[in-house]
Structures are given as C-alpha cells and as structure tokens.
C-alpha cells in the first residue's frame, strides 16, 4: 500500500499516466515496499524477473557482468524512477543486477499483481510499451555511439544524459546528483579509467566541468553539447 | 474570439525547454540561427540569454524574435 502523499508522485510517472484516481488506488493497494542497505541487491542478473520496482528513496545502479567477470554500469536510477519493467514479460529473466548505492527504499509489484493490474487497466500495457521503446532507443543510441564515435563525444553524451536524468541546479552549474566515479564513467562509455581521467582533466582545465570525489558538476553545458554534437 | 494579448516579457525568464514546450511555434527561430536547442537535454537548464551567449548572438535580438512569435500565438 502506498502512502497517500505518494500518489501525487505516482501520477507524474509516465508508466502511471492517464489513469483515474480509482485505478491509481488499485495500483497503490497492490504495492509492497522493500528497503535495502548500501551495496545490497534488489535482484541479480539471471534471476527470474518476478517484480517491477519503483525507487522511492536512495540510488540504485543497474550493472551487467560479462562472462569474463567484467562489470559494466548501464544506468543509474534515482527516486521516482521505475526499473525492471522486464517483469511484465512472461518467462523473462533480469538482464542486469540492481544494486543499492546508498540506503534505498523501493515499492514493488509482483508479477501476479502486475498481471491483475494490466487486465483491469489495459492502458498500463501501452504505457509499459512506451517506456520499453524509450529504453531501447536510448540503448540503440549508445550502441551507435560506441561503434562510431570518438571517446570524447561518448563521454560528453554520457554526462549530458546523466545531467538531464539527475541534474540539479547549484551555484557552480549543474550537479549530477549521483555518486559517480571515473570508473563508472569508463564503464558507461566503453573506455578505460585512464582515458576518462585524461579527458575529464582536460575539460576541467577548460572550465567545462568541475569534478570532486565521485562528483561531477557541469559548469558550461553548451561546452559539452558542442563536443557531443561535434559543433564548430 | 479570444483576444490576443502581448506576451509578458517575463516569459523570457523561463528555460529554453519550457519556452519550446509552451510555444513550439518558436522552433523555427532556433533553427534559423543554427542552434541545437530543439531536443537538447540541457535546454532545461539554460535561459534564452544563456543560449544567445552560447551562439554569440545578441540576446536582445533573440528575445525580441521569440517574443514576436509568442505574441502572434494566442496560447498562454
């Protein structure tokens, strides 16, 4: 059951859009909550996809392990974002692991609850398709970037994407409000820690960004846009 | 018929993303100046004056062009 104060947040989430108050109450009645300490996992890659999560507080990273043990950061999740939409698909397994970066609280719906909801509220299935297609589009863009673009452009795009997903205005610029290490950025852009450090230092000297411990502030957004879009 | 009112210049304090959302009619102005604000994920953080500075344009001229398009539109 969701706190009535949270219903307003629910309405803002694309997955729950165009739903009546009574439908939202039904969604809320079937929700459960799970809270985790930092470094614990909501689910592991390869587990049967049995639950859809909505992060209420904290930060979660979605990571994928390759066969040779390498770990890749695919996405950072902030409050009021859904993850594990794959739970709507019959017989699916989680393609990634979801690990709490800090103490986190998530609402979740079991597969049975989801199936019940989709049968009663068919609009939910359309909203889920919309969400999945946006994710596919984003990953297609990233695949194209990996295959065709210079590392500088990939890194600029990754920072812009993170800025739009988790950016917060601060006096120095736009703070990417996530604990973000250089290793995370290297994993997201398919390059080495050394290369990321070299490029970030260069951008810092040009006053495009400001970095701190696990922190990036975009000081001059257009500077990054110019690199990402190869503008003159 | 709803009467057209002059756009309040305070709309210029809104972010570029807000302006584009409220008045998509202004898109051609950005395109004319070869600005990539349309669809840019940083448009939510920049004002029109920031955008003008980024492209070394006169902010007064850009703001006037946007206001004149907004004034021709009857939507809020």
């Amino acid at each position: 059951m969701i706190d009535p104060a949270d219903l307003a947040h629910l309405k803002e989430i694309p997955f729950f859009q165009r739903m009546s108050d009574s439908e939202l109450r039904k969604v809320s009645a079937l929700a459960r909550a799970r809270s985790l300490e930092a470094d614990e996992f909501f689910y592991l890659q390869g587990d049967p996809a049995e639950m859809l999560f909505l992060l209420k507080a904290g930060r979660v990273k979605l990571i994928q392990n390759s066969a040779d043990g390498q770990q890749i950061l695919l996405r950072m999740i902030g409050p009021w974002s859904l993850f594990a939409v794959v739970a709507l698909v019959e017989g699916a397994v989680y393609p990634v692991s979801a690990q709490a970066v800090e103490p986190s609280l998530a609402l979740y719906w079991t597969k049975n609850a989801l199936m019940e909801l989709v049968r009663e509220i068919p609009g939910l299935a359309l909203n889920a398709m919309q969400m999945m297609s946006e994710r596919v589009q984003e990953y297609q863009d990233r695949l194209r970037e990996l295959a065709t673009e210079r590392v500088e452009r990939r890194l600029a795009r990754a920072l812009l994407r993170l800025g739009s997903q988790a950016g917060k205005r601060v006096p120095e610029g736009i703070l990417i409000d996530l604990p973000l290490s250089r290793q995370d950025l290297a994993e997201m852009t398919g390059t080495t820690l050394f290369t990321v450090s070299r490029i970030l230092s260069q951008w810092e000297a040009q006053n495009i960004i400001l970095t701190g411990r696990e922190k990036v502030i975009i000081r001059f957004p257009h500077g990054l846009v110019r690199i990402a879009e190869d503008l003159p | 018929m709803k009467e057209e009112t002059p756009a309040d210049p305070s709309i210029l304090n809104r972010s570029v993303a807000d302006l584009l959302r409220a008045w998509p009619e202004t898109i051609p102005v950005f395109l004319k100046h070869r600005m990539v604000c349309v669809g840019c994920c940083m448009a939510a953080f920049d004002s029109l004056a920031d955008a003008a500075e980024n492209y070394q344009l006169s902010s007064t001229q850009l703001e006037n062009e946007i206001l004149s398009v907004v004034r021709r539109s009857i939507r809020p």
Side-chain angles (χ1 to χ4, degrees):
Chain A
M1 178 74 185
I2 295 180
D3 189 335
D6 293 342
L7 278 178
H9 284 289
L10 226 53
K11 284 186 180 172
E12 298 289 310
I13 298 167
F15 185 60
F16 298 113
Q17 257 163 31
R18 292 180 292 277
M19 284 174 53
S20 67
D21 284 350
S22 70
E23 287 170 336
L24 276 176
R25 274 195 297 275
K26 172 90 188 165
V27 167
S28 151
L30 292 175
R32 297 183 199 167
R34 173 175 291 180
S35 81
L36 293 188
E37 293 303 318
D39 298 333
E40 290 184 323
F41 287 86
F42 281 101
Y43 53 83
L44 291 171
Q45 181 179 338
D47 284 351
E50 298 286 357
M51 286 170 267
L52 167 76
F53 291 86
L54 173 65
L55 190 65
K56 188 174 162 184
R59 301 274 170 203
V60 170
K61 59 180 179 181
L62 302 186
I63 47 185
Q64 197 166 51
N65 287 297
S66 65
D68 60 0
Q70 215 187 337
Q71 200 172 71
I72 302 294
L73 172 69
L74 285 179
R75 197 182 181 85
M76 280 288 205
I77 304 286
W80 303 110
S81 300
L82 280 172
F83 58 107
V85 189
V86 70
L88 279 162
V89 178
E90 200 58 51
V93 295
Y94 291 120
V96 296
S97 301
Q99 185 179 26
V101 178
E102 52 190 70
S104 297
L105 172 66
L107 303 168
Y108 69 92
W109 291 264
T110 62
K111 193 176 220 81
N112 285 343
L114 285 172
M115 291 305 140
E116 187 182 331
L117 287 171
V118 169
R119 268 191 297 272
E120 280 186 35
I121 315 166
L124 260 186
L126 283 175
N127 290 350
M129 276 170 62
Q130 171 82 24
M131 230 185 109
M132 286 180 188
S133 72
E134 281 166 13
R135 292 281 161 92
V136 169
Q137 179 82 48
E138 181 187 326
Y139 287 123
Q140 279 174 341
D141 287 346
R142 284 170 64 177
L143 188 61
R144 189 204 60 237
E145 290 162 19
L146 271 177
T148 63
E149 292 179 358
R150 287 179 300 116
V151 181
E152 282 86 351
R153 290 187 70 182
R154 283 166 13 211
L155 190 55
R157 281 185 199 276
L159 289 175
L160 289 170
R161 205 176 273 128
L162 287 164
S164 75
Q165 287 165 356
K168 205 166 78 178
R169 257 262 174 245
V170 294
E172 301 95 325
I174 300 157
L175 166 70
I176 297 176
D177 196 14
L178 294 170
L180 190 68
S181 68
R182 292 179 176 209
Q183 181 62 38
D184 291 334
L185 285 169
E187 289 171 9
M188 291 181 97
T189 50
T191 184
T192 62
L193 178 60
F194 174 77
T195 304
V196 166
S197 291
R198 178 179 56 80
I199 298 171
L200 291 185
S201 304
Q202 195 183 325
W203 290 348
E204 195 152 7
Q206 294 166 352
N207 217 12
I208 295 174
I209 57 163
L210 189 66
T211 62
R213 201 183 122 71
E214 301 218 320
K215 191 171 83 169
V216 178
I217 295 175
I218 304 174
R219 296 208 60 151
F220 179 41
H222 188 67
L224 280 185
V225 171
R226 213 149 54 191
I227 296 163
E229 301 297 330
D230 234 353
L231 298 177
Chain B
M1 198 176 114
K2 198 171 164 187
E3 196 182 329
E4 287 190 33
T5 52
D8 178 354
S10 73
I11 62 159
L12 298 174
N13 299 332
R14 293 163 74 164
S15 71
V16 172
D18 265 359
L19 282 172
L20 284 166
R21 214 174 4 250
W23 293 283
E25 303 85 329
T26 59
I27 290 173
V29 178
F30 292 93
L31 297 183
K32 184 185 89 181
H33 290 293
R34 300 184 179 280
M35 300 166 85
V36 297
C37 303
V38 183
C40 174
C41 57
M42 288 294 107
F45 296 99
D46 274 350
S47 68
L48 212 48
D50 294 327
E53 195 187 328
N54 290 337
Y55 290 89
Q56 283 144 24
L57 300 171
S58 144
S59 62
T60 320
Q61 189 201 327
L62 182 64
E63 287 172 355
N64 286 338
E65 286 180 41
I66 296 291
L67 277 177
S68 85
V69 173
V70 171
R71 281 176 182 143
R72 283 201 297 272
S73 135
I74 53 165
R75 283 179 302 114

